[in-house]
Amino acid sequence: MLKSMSSVPPKKATYAELVALPEHLIGEILEGELITSPRPTAPHATATSVLGMDIGAPFQRGRGGPGGWWIIDEPELHFADDVLVPDLAGWRKERMPQVPNQAWFELAPDWICEVVSPSTARIDRIRKMPIYARQGVAFAWLLDPLQRTLEVYGLRDQQWVVIGSHEGNAVVRAEPFDAIELELAALWIDAGE
């Protein structure tokens, strides 16, 4: 008679393990698994920085736009056992009147942007997007500086729906920041420039 072997579930990653990572790695905990990524390359970092400046002035500071948002680089989001670090996130000030004085956020943002790279695209699309949907994030952008694309998603009935796809050097209006035009050409750099 064969004895049945019970499968032991894998040990869930802890926040202490995430904090202990070397500084050159970005750590996240997705459904109990510790995921690490290297610091971003120059095209990735440039796209993130320029996008943050382009939407931060009109939407956070109210310069040339409506204001009413907090736009934050690489916030650490804690959702139960999941710890995610999007490249950019935004909260409407009506939902989060003040930025909390702690190292992470427990309130889901209204918008996230993941700047995808060959090493992170699969994780961003397959692992993180469903978590953002479960948490009720209303808008998600996937920005690819190597392919020079911007995909805009809206959450409809707890499912992501593509509400815009843009490429190249287009000038676009993308929800939820469609009160201004974004020049995609400003987000791209060529390696070695």
Side-chain angles (χ1 to χ4, degrees):
M1 173 185 253
L2 293 173
K3 291 184 179 180
S4 67
M5 297 178 67
S6 65
S7 64
V8 177
K11 177 184 164 280
K12 286 190 173 188
T14 67
Y15 190 67
E17 291 171 306
L18 187 144
V19 171
L21 289 172
E23 287 186 24
H24 69 280
L25 294 175
I26 297 172
E28 299 176 290
I29 299 174
L30 307 177
E31 298 170 334
E33 181 182 356
L34 180 62
I35 306 289
T36 61
S37 303
R39 300 297 303 164
T41 61
H44 181 121
T46 299
T48 303
S49 297
V50 172
L51 181 60
M53 289 185 284
D54 284 356
I55 62 174
F59 289 94
Q60 181 165 314
R61 301 189 69 198
R63 291 185 178 169
W69 285 79
W70 297 111
I71 306 297
I72 300 177
D73 293 337
E74 294 186 347
E76 188 172 295
L77 307 176
H78 287 223
F79 305 139
D81 293 332
D82 295 315
V83 178
L84 291 82
V85 182
D87 292 290
L88 288 166
W91 288 260
R92 294 179 191 274
K93 289 182 180 178
E94 63 197 29
R95 286 188 55 241
M96 188 173 77
Q98 295 183 336
V99 174
N101 186 19
Q102 60 189 32
W104 62 81
F105 296 81
E106 294 175 348
L107 178 66
D110 296 288
W111 165 82
I112 62 90
C113 179
E114 294 286 1
V115 180
V116 300
S117 66
S119 65
T120 66
R122 197 170 131 168
I123 294 166
D124 292 336
R125 291 177 185 284
I126 306 301
R127 305 281 305 271
K128 295 172 77 173
M129 289 287 281
I131 296 170
Y132 292 135
R134 280 196 305 271
Q135 295 302 317
V137 175
F139 296 95
W141 290 9
L142 296 179
L143 184 66
D144 187 330
L146 299 181
Q147 297 297 316
R148 298 181 180 209
T149 60
L150 170 63
E151 299 168 43
V152 180
Y153 294 86
L155 192 63
R156 308 292 187 263
D157 298 320
Q158 299 179 336
Q159 297 291 318
W160 291 116
V161 175
V162 176
I163 56 176
S165 294
H166 311 285
E167 66 179 343
N169 295 333
V171 176
V172 304
R173 291 184 182 267
E175 289 186 64
F177 304 115
D178 51 340
I180 65 163
E181 290 184 334
L182 290 173
E183 296 178 18
L184 295 185
L187 305 177
W188 321 135
I189 64 167
D190 290 322
E193 282 189 349

